[in-house]
Amino acid sequence: MKHLDEYRDAGRARALAAEIARTATRPWRIMEICGGQTHAILRFGIDQLLPPGLELVHGPGCPVCVTPLELIDRAIELAQTPGVVLASFGDMLRVPGSKTDLLAARAAGARVAMVYSPLEAVRLAGEKQDQQIVFFAVGFETTVPGVALAVREARRLGLQNFSILPAHVLVPPALRAILGSPQSRIQGVLAAGHVCTVEGYEDYEPLAADFGVPVVVTGFEPVDLLQGILLCVRQLEQGRAEVENQYARAVRREGNREAKALVREMFEPVDRKWRGIGVIPSSGLALRPAWREFDAEARFALSTGAVEEPSECISGLVLQGAKKPYECAAFATRCTPERPLGAPMVSSEGACAAYYRYGRHHV
Amino acid sequence: MSDFALSCPAPLAQHDRVLMAHGGGGRLMRELIERMFAARLDPQHETDAATLALGGRRLALTTDSFVVRPIFFPGGDIGSLAVHGTVNDLAMAGAEPVALSAAFILEEGLEMETLSRVVDSMAEAARRAGVRIVTGDTKVVERGHADQLYVTTTGVGVLIHDGELAPWRVTEGDEVVLSGDIGRHGMAVMSAREGLEFESEIVSDSAPVHREALGLLSSGIRVHCMRDLTRGGLASAVIEIARSARARVELDETRIPVREDVRAACELLGFDPLYVANEGRFIAFVAEGDGERAAALLPGGAVIGRVKETGAGVVTLRSLIGAERVLDLLSGEQLPRIC
């Protein structure tokens, strides 16, 4: 944070935008995967600095948005179960399940605690031994090590009243699914810096090679994003498709070895349904058998089966970068942050919420 | 992708219960006030204090409840906050605060020592602000039916100028003056409540601002409207005034002071400091040409924008890198993000 100003410098931003304009000789379409980057692009107006023809499309990188409806319903069901408190990050509380959301369920008597870290949920379990604390484990690779540490801590303390509802999702398998889709229009990719701080970027190398798409690991400040876009455009113009690291101040190729080892020791890849997209092979994480006692789905008898949903919302196409939020007929009319049809309109990292909040009703 | 499907839930019905977001200073709170209260009662709800003419005197009247948790936080507590909040609401109407009432709802089991500290703090804040607390009320509820204590303060003040300070007076060319850096109170309370440790302790800006605000009026600054920046922060206050005034207001993000520690804490949690609560900051819409003089009268003051035209109630922000975006009310409070 000490160097924030350096990465928000208007002069540097404009110089980079001018360099991008000089470099791009034809239209290109680049996807930023991460919802945090989507918000930064709109909040700072980075898209307004880019040359016409250089289109940024928004990817599935909002863990809140892609958490399937059934899981949110199960989280609500847990919160309504006597003797259970559902602990969750703030982000998830407003996202609608099939009938209600966690905040409305809390107003109706369900027990929901907002926490800032999974370890806080473990502390809560230590304080409330007569109640079952279930942590809603949502998030990409970035948040998994914290959850792993929390589960390990719960075992060390001998806590019988702590468990997690696993909803973790992994970026590379989703990116493979999107790039491999017949409707994919993506020519270049900005990979999310935060995710790569943990996992590194080795997993993106086969993706770049298989699909002929440059991948640039990118940070979140305006100068980061513009540098990432410039590197990506240069590769496209030169016909290269490699993985480059714009975010070297935080990311190494191999990532955080210790964190990765901990995650692999406790979690194994599983097929996971992504809201609005469908099931993506090996794109989720489940606790390994040795840790399964901490899995709330194993501990509580929860509803199973898919939830039928009407389909006015086009969040699936938005999350794959196939459509922009304002191309949805319901955008800003029948779908608003107060009355959302889909998760991307409520999540703080949702693309629709970003367009709504930053006034991009007609772009 | 074998079972690709577009999925989306059905829309949620109208809220049949009160949500925390109804008190969050955003769009839901505005809707609640307009549809539930203003539709049935008679509040002058476009300003924080009502003005009344009584026996030849023009008075301002305001009331405010305080439910902050924790009750002691870096830079203040619920007692001093209750005095500052009400004094500031009076000042925003251009009134010299005269007297306050204080009503307490106490939870059974509250330690007397805690209550004593809060009352002492109120007394000290009132003394410093130059107001008297002249009447009050006390109720005790069973343990678990309140969170330690709640305070409601009502204030009466005397208007010190002839004109009215209200959104309808805002006009094209007006300059928007901010009294100091933003976001401190919200982040101080949040870090104390949630046990978040940042690199340095963020201290609330809780303070009475009536001397600065009334100082603008007595210095001959042509003030059209003032608003203190509490729940919902700077953005919500400017948006509400712009909508009431049907004015297009343009703010310049580079001119809005945010301390580095506050900005870093906001970044970490995914908060926009423009929407974070303050308790010792206000904005003044002043006539064209008076902005710099007004800012110079305020410690930490800055001209942060202007009214470009009237006709459409909208606020735009020129971002740090020179691009423009629209500012809109949030639905409720900001929620910390996952990653």
Side-chain angles (χ1 to χ4, degrees), chain A residues 218-276:
Chain A
T218 305
F220 298 80
E221 295 299 328
V223 167
D224 287 323
L225 285 155
L226 286 158
Q227 278 177 344
I229 292 164
L230 177 59
L231 291 173
C232 201
V233 168
R234 269 191 196 146
Q235 283 204 51
L236 288 164
E237 290 284 339
Q238 295 165 3
R240 291 184 293 125
E242 298 157 15
V243 178
E244 274 183 288
N245 182 12
Q246 178 279 328
Y247 204 38
R249 68 180 185 275
V251 171
R252 296 193 304 270
R253 180 173 178 270
E254 70 279 10
N256 180 332
R257 285 211 173 95
E258 205 179 326
K260 278 163 78 170
L262 178 71
V263 170
R264 279 156 187 62
E265 177 202 334
M266 295 173 64
F267 288 92
E268 57 191 5
V270 289
D271 297 354
R272 170 69 69 191
K273 183 177 178 184
W274 291 51
R275 187 176 193 168

Side-chain angles (χ1 to χ4, degrees), chain B:
Chain B
M1 301 285 270
S2 53
D3 64 343
F4 172 82
L6 286 181
S7 62
C8 185
L12 301 178
Q14 284 286 91
H15 302 292
D16 56 356
R17 292 175 190 271
V18 172
L19 304 176
M20 289 304 291
H22 284 116
R27 199 179 292 110
L28 281 179
M29 189 171 102
R30 184 65 20 209
E31 280 178 17
L32 182 75
I33 290 168
E34 284 172 3
R35 293 178 194 175
M36 178 67 74
F37 300 120
R40 294 170 171 81
L41 309 171
D42 187 26
Q44 299 172 22
H45 65 281
E46 289 196 343
T47 51
D48 285 337
T51 52
L52 307 164
L54 287 176
R57 300 296 295 272
R58 295 174 66 240
L59 304 177
L61 175 69
T62 187
T63 188
D64 210 339
S65 297
F66 297 84
V67 296
V68 65
R69 182 167 52 89
I71 55 179
F72 301 99
F73 50 83
D77 59 77
I78 195 169
S80 55
L81 192 66
V83 172
H84 298 159
T86 298
V87 162
N88 293 347
D89 282 347
L90 290 171
M92 294 301 103
E96 183 78 60
V98 175
L100 307 184
S101 71
F104 294 86
I105 294 176
L106 309 175
E107 183 190 14
E108 175 190 31
L110 176 70
E111 290 178 358
M112 283 294 177
E113 194 268 336
T114 302
L115 180 58
S116 175
R117 279 174 64 196
V118 169
V119 176
D120 283 346
S121 171
M122 278 186 94
E124 176 65 10
R127 191 186 60 75
R128 288 188 178 196
V131 291
R132 295 168 57 218
I133 299 177
V134 292
T135 184
D137 181 53
T138 307
K139 296 284 187 297
V140 178
V141 297
E142 287 174 30
R143 193 177 186 121
H145 288 220
D147 187 1
Q148 293 187 282
L149 83 156
Y150 304 139
V151 186
T152 300
T153 43
T154 298
V156 176
V158 177
L159 291 170
I160 64 159
H161 64 108
D162 298 334
E164 190 181 351
L165 300 180
W168 65 263
R169 291 198 55 213
V170 168
T171 186
E172 191 174 328
D174 277 8
E175 296 176 62
V176 185
V177 180
L178 170 66
S179 70
D181 68 289
I182 58 165
R184 272 202 255 163
H185 176 74
M187 297 320 289
V189 169
M190 175 164 244
S191 59
R193 181 167 63 218
E194 309 297 347
L196 301 174
E197 287 182 12
F198 300 119
E199 278 182 27
S200 59
E201 185 183 61
I202 298 172
V203 175
S204 169
D205 61 343
S206 178
V209 299
H210 58 305
R211 293 188 180 95
E212 290 94 332
L214 301 178
L216 295 181
L217 294 168
S218 54
S219 304
I221 304 279
R222 292 164 295 164
V223 182
H224 292 158
C225 182
M226 292 194 283
R227 184 70 53 96
D228 60 343
L229 312 177
T230 52
R231 272 174 307 174
L234 169 69
S236 304
V238 179
I239 292 162
E240 284 178 6
I241 290 170
R243 285 187 180 177
S244 299
R246 299 191 55 73
R248 187 167 77 80
V249 181
E250 187 182 85
L251 301 180
D252 183 346
E253 192 167 20
T254 58
R255 307 190 70 173
I256 298 170
V258 183
R259 279 168 48 121
E260 193 54 43
D261 54 358
V262 172
R263 199 159 66 160
C266 284
E267 287 295 324
L268 198 71
L269 295 166
F271 285 7
D272 186 339
L274 295 173
Y275 292 88
V276 174
N278 311 272
E279 285 293 349
R281 297 288 179 265
F282 67 98
I283 44 167
F285 282 69
V286 303
E288 192 167 10
D290 283 3
E292 289 302 338
R293 202 155 58 90
L297 288 168
L298 303 167
V303 179
I304 60 163
R306 63 171 53 241
V307 178
K308 302 297 279 189
E309 59 195 32
T310 51
V314 67
V315 180
T316 58
L317 179 84
R318 188 155 292 283
S319 81
L320 298 170
I321 59 169
E324 197 173 84
R325 66 174 159 108
V326 172
L327 285 183
D328 200 358
L329 287 177
L330 301 183
S331 77
E333 289 177 304
Q334 300 187 92
L335 294 172
R337 68 175 172 208
I338 285 172
C339 60

Side-chain angles (χ1 to χ4, degrees), chain A residues 252-314:
Chain A
R252 296 193 304 270
R253 180 173 178 270
E254 70 279 10
N256 180 332
R257 285 211 173 95
E258 205 179 326
K260 278 163 78 170
L262 178 71
V263 170
R264 279 156 187 62
E265 177 202 334
M266 295 173 64
F267 288 92
E268 57 191 5
V270 289
D271 297 354
R272 170 69 69 191
K273 183 177 178 184
W274 291 51
R275 187 176 193 168
I277 295 178
V279 174
I280 300 177
S282 300
S283 65
L285 290 172
L287 285 164
R288 291 188 185 276
W291 298 90
R292 191 86 22 103
E293 68 194 88
F294 291 99
D295 184 339
E297 301 227 43
R299 190 175 295 195
F300 302 92
L302 298 172
S303 307
T304 54
V307 181
E308 284 300 315
E309 303 177 283
S311 58
E312 184 180 16
C313 158
I314 60 163

